[in-house]
Amino acid sequence: RGAADLAHYIEQLSGAKPMLVDTKAGIDTQLSQPGPRLIVGKLALDSKPALKEALAKAAKPNPTLRADATVVQHVGDRIYLAGNNDDAHYYAVATLLNHWGCRWYMPTEFGECIPSRPELKLGDLDIAYGSPFEVRKYWISWNGSNDGQAEFMHRNFFNEVLVPNGH
């Protein structure tokens, strides 16, 4: 989901339509060729094992519920985007999109603010971050629309972790 969103927003930002490759044969072919590559999720962790160490250092120590951590690294012609869980893989994508100026102020396209960037620049991008908060939630009251809520939450680093409680 993060890789698909990344491709979508790169096209919106720059007009360039990146190829999304999600098969083993396609990935192996693409990684063997020169040129810029965005490597997302578990594939990034497998391709560059040092990312796991960066994630471990960034993650909140001794979490009660769950610690989310992300890493975004630009090395040569590769950009690695990964997290320590599936949600955090997406947060790494959102980190890069934030770097390029993308913002989501409300759910659905209505709340998107996507700038026009004919050229996407990275510089020396090396970010490892772990939220100090384990629970990060966006809530709509009982009579509001939930349209686009899941996407909005991921793009803004919220999660579905709940504190066990009752009345």
Side-chain angles (χ1 to χ4, degrees):
R1 182 172 61 188
D5 248 18
L6 183 59
H8 170 78
Y9 285 109
I10 287 174
E11 184 175 7
Q12 278 198 301
L13 282 159
S14 67
K17 186 174 176 91
M19 178 175 38
L20 184 60
V21 180
D22 61 359
T23 65
K24 173 105 174 88
I27 290 167
D28 291 343
T29 300
Q30 289 300 315
L31 290 179
S32 69
Q33 298 176 4
R37 301 288 183 259
L38 297 137
I39 305 168
V40 179
K42 187 175 178 329
L43 180 60
L45 296 174
D46 293 343
S47 299
K48 192 168 185 339
L51 297 177
K52 292 176 187 173
E53 187 177 317
L55 286 170
K57 286 181 184 176
K60 179 182 177 183
N62 306 313
T64 301
L65 300 170
R66 181 178 92 181
D68 295 324
T70 60
V71 65
V72 178
Q73 281 188 3
H74 177 206
V75 181
D77 61 357
R78 302 287 192 251
I79 303 162
Y80 299 93
L81 305 120
N84 61 346
N85 58 55
D86 287 342
D87 287 333
H89 292 319
Y90 193 103
Y91 304 148
V93 167
T95 298
L96 180 60
L97 292 171
N98 271 232
H99 176 77
W100 285 326
C102 297
R103 299 294 185 271
W104 296 270
Y105 297 107
M106 295 174 63
T108 71
E109 284 184 31
F110 180 77
E112 290 184 351
C113 183
I114 310 301
S116 176
R117 300 229 188 273
E119 187 175 38
L120 298 175
K121 296 183 180 186
L122 293 170
D124 294 330
L125 194 60
D126 186 2
I127 301 168
Y129 176 76
S131 176
F133 301 101
E134 296 177 42
V135 177
R136 301 176 309 278
K137 184 77 172 165
Y138 167 79
W139 177 72
I140 298 286
S141 68
W142 63 273
N143 63 348
S145 171
N146 290 323
D147 293 346
Q149 180 178 355
E151 295 84 4
F152 176 78
M153 286 179 56
H154 275 96
R155 293 172 187 150
N156 285 286
F157 310 95
F158 294 118
N159 63 32
E160 292 285 343
V161 176
L162 299 174
V163 176
N165 63 69
H167 292 277

